[in-house]
Amino acid sequence: MAEGSDDIQALIALMARLPGLGPRSARRIVLSLIRKRGGQMHQLARLLDSVATGSRECLVCGNITDRDECAICTDPARANGEICVVEDVADLWALERGHAFRGRYHVLGGTLSALDEIGPDDLGIPALIDRIRREGVTEAILALNATVDGQTTAHYIADALADSGVTVTGLAQGVPIGGELDYLDDGTITAALRARRRL
Amino acid sequence: MAEGSDDIQALIALMARLPGLGPRSARRIVLSLIRKRGGQMHQLARLLDSVATGSRECLVCGNITDRDECAICTDPARANGEICVVEDVADLWALERGHAFRGRYHVLGGTLSALDEIGPDDLGIPALIDRIRREGVTEAILALNATVDGQTTAHYIADALADSGVTVTGLAQGVPIGGELDYLDDGTITAALRARRRL
Ligand SMILES: [Zn+2]
Ligand SMILES: [Zn+2]
């Protein structure tokens, strides 16, 4: 047994399967935790148990929450007629960190994909269309990734909302803040050039 | 609160401080754990608690173990007269994975460093010299990193053992297996060339 004890080996193996980690980084993390003499490890264990027990999907929007409905869905100030449709909870979190959007969200949990046989029903798109009508939404912002599947999904939702009177928008494409042209792919440069604006 | 609940935010913040992780990778890991609906998170919590409670340093060699003395120090087959001196437990684990060394270890827990004011006593080098004499060691392999501080430490230990009759060796330097010359630093190429051998 190379790594100290059966539990240490099991912990490294479990950590190595987390996204972005591997055996080497898992070993580094576990060793650093052991060196800190328990305190941080017990704290991490306590938070993992608590999050595992307390977290679920918001019944309305799909955000992660510790209640039936998330803080955004229950905040009356955020019923401003705007709904932002995202693929993933991570995208919702990223938009919230920007503090720019003050409406509500809808998390699809993926994109349409012919290859993976994911259709509109799998993503709950009929329920989303329903929700948009029911909540008196005036603008649906489709904040989907600029990938083929993301854009296919956006077009599908835009089509489904075509006769609803709801304004459907998407995020602007262009050069990221601080982005160096040299490092951007050609598609982004072309899109940014086409959407150029007067200074 | 952008990220779901206070506990989720605290969990992300704690994970983001682990070596090699940051806020972005911590968020990805936490979201992936939440998506797996608790089972993996509770298992991770259980192992963290168990490792935090059960792990300590081997009283003889400094390896991480769940007993007073580690499995290597208590295995009579490994009292073969060879002791391998390493900076860190991670180095010991790496050597054990190689299955090439069948003796015992000594973990220094660092290197001599004038800058950080780490002297021989801070690393327990007198105790190491003692241990080498007491255990009838015939060869001390100084498997220290090929850094300035690592090599300074190796020279210091070699000097201290000069009159002991113990053979003091170091790891061979050269091109790593699968290493492309193009990607190696000049020092490694020079060392590999100087230590060239007949094929
Ligand atoms: Zn919600
Ligand atoms: Zn030991």
Side-chain angles (χ1 to χ4, degrees):
Chain A
M1 172 173 54
E3 277 105 13
S5 72
D6 289 340
D7 278 346
I8 293 178
Q9 290 203 309
L11 180 58
I12 291 172
L14 196 60
M15 283 219 164
R17 294 209 307 268
L18 297 176
L21 299 186
R24 192 188 152 82
S25 43
R27 279 194 297 266
R28 275 185 66 202
I29 288 172
V30 170
L31 261 183
S32 114
L33 284 169
I34 291 174
R35 277 200 206 93
K36 280 173 188 148
R37 312 253 170 225
Q40 203 177 357
M41 249 190 291
H42 285 305
Q43 197 189 352
L44 196 50
R46 192 189 58 72
L47 284 170
L48 282 163
D49 270 330
S50 148
V51 167
T53 306
S55 301
R56 45 200 151 141
E57 284 178 10
C58 170
L59 295 173
V60 179
C61 76
N63 189 11
I64 302 287
T65 174
D66 51 2
R67 286 163 290 177
D68 277 351
E69 299 190 12
C70 77
I72 296 169
C73 286
T74 50
D75 179 355
R78 301 201 56 155
N80 67 353
E82 295 173 6
I83 194 167
C84 183
V85 180
V86 293
E87 289 178 26
D88 195 280
V89 173
D91 303 328
L92 186 162
W93 288 358
L95 281 155
E96 282 298 287
R97 287 196 301 276
H99 298 293
F101 179 68
R102 300 307 302 158
R104 285 179 176 162
Y105 291 94
H106 196 88
V107 180
L108 291 177
T111 51
L112 297 175
S113 165
L115 204 68
D116 299 325
E117 296 184 354
I118 299 174
D121 287 327
D122 300 308
L123 299 178
I125 291 180
L128 165 64
I129 306 294
D130 246 34
R131 187 187 160 195
I132 286 174
R133 291 186 210 271
R134 209 172 50 239
E135 294 187 12
V137 167
T138 54
E139 178 177 359
I141 302 164
L142 307 182
L144 304 179
N145 289 335
T147 57
V148 172
D149 283 343
Q151 294 310 300
T152 304
T153 309
H155 282 299
Y156 181 91
I157 296 173
D159 283 350
L161 289 171
D163 301 325
S164 65
V166 173
T167 305
V168 180
T169 58
L171 297 181
Q173 290 196 305
V175 181
I177 305 294
E180 297 179 59
L181 295 189
D182 232 20
Y183 289 87
L184 290 177
D185 66 290
D186 299 348
T188 300
I189 294 182
T190 306
L193 185 68
R194 287 212 187 112
R196 67 191 178 278
R197 58 205 181 76
R198 196 176 290 276
L199 297 177
Chain B
M1 173 173 52
E3 278 106 13
S5 72
D6 289 339
D7 277 346
I8 293 178
Q9 291 204 307
L11 180 57
I12 291 172
L14 195 59
M15 285 219 164
R17 295 208 306 268
L18 297 176
L21 299 186
R24 193 188 152 82
S25 43
R27 281 193 297 266
R28 275 186 66 203
I29 288 172
V30 169
L31 262 181
S32 114
L33 284 169
I34 291 175
R35 277 200 204 93
K36 281 173 187 150
R37 312 255 172 226
Q40 202 177 359
M41 246 189 295
H42 285 306
Q43 198 188 350
L44 197 51
R46 193 190 58 72
L47 284 169
L48 282 163
D49 269 330
S50 148
V51 168
T53 306
S55 302
R56 45 201 150 140
E57 284 179 10
C58 171
L59 295 173
V60 179
C61 75
N63 188 12
I64 301 288
T65 175
D66 52 2
R67 285 164 291 177
D68 276 350
E69 299 189 12
C70 76
I72 296 169
C73 286
T74 50
D75 180 354
R78 300 202 57 154
N80 67 354
E82 294 173 8
I83 193 166
C84 183
V85 179
V86 294
E87 289 179 27
D88 196 281
V89 174
D91 303 329
L92 186 162
W93 289 358
L95 281 155
E96 282 298 287
R97 287 196 301 277
H99 298 292
F101 179 68
R102 300 307 303 157
R104 286 180 174 160
Y105 292 94
H106 196 89
V107 180
L108 291 177
T111 52
L112 297 176
S113 167
L115 204 66
D116 299 326
E117 295 185 355
I118 298 174
D121 287 327
D122 300 309
L123 300 178
I125 291 180
L128 165 64
I129 306 294
D130 245 32
R131 186 185 161 196
I132 287 174
R133 291 185 209 271
R134 208 172 50 239
E135 294 187 12
V137 167
T138 52
E139 178 178 358
I141 301 163
L142 308 182
L144 304 179
N145 289 334
T147 58
V148 172
D149 283 342
Q151 293 311 299
T152 303
T153 309
H155 283 298
Y156 181 91
I157 296 172
D159 283 349
L161 289 171
D163 301 325
S164 66
V166 172
T167 305
V168 180
T169 58
L171 297 182
Q173 289 196 305
V175 181
I177 305 293
E180 297 180 59
L181 295 190
D182 232 19
Y183 288 87
L184 289 177
D185 65 290
D186 300 348
T188 300
I189 294 182
T190 305
L193 184 68
R194 288 213 186 111
R196 68 190 177 277
R197 58 205 181 77
R198 197 176 289 276
L199 298 177

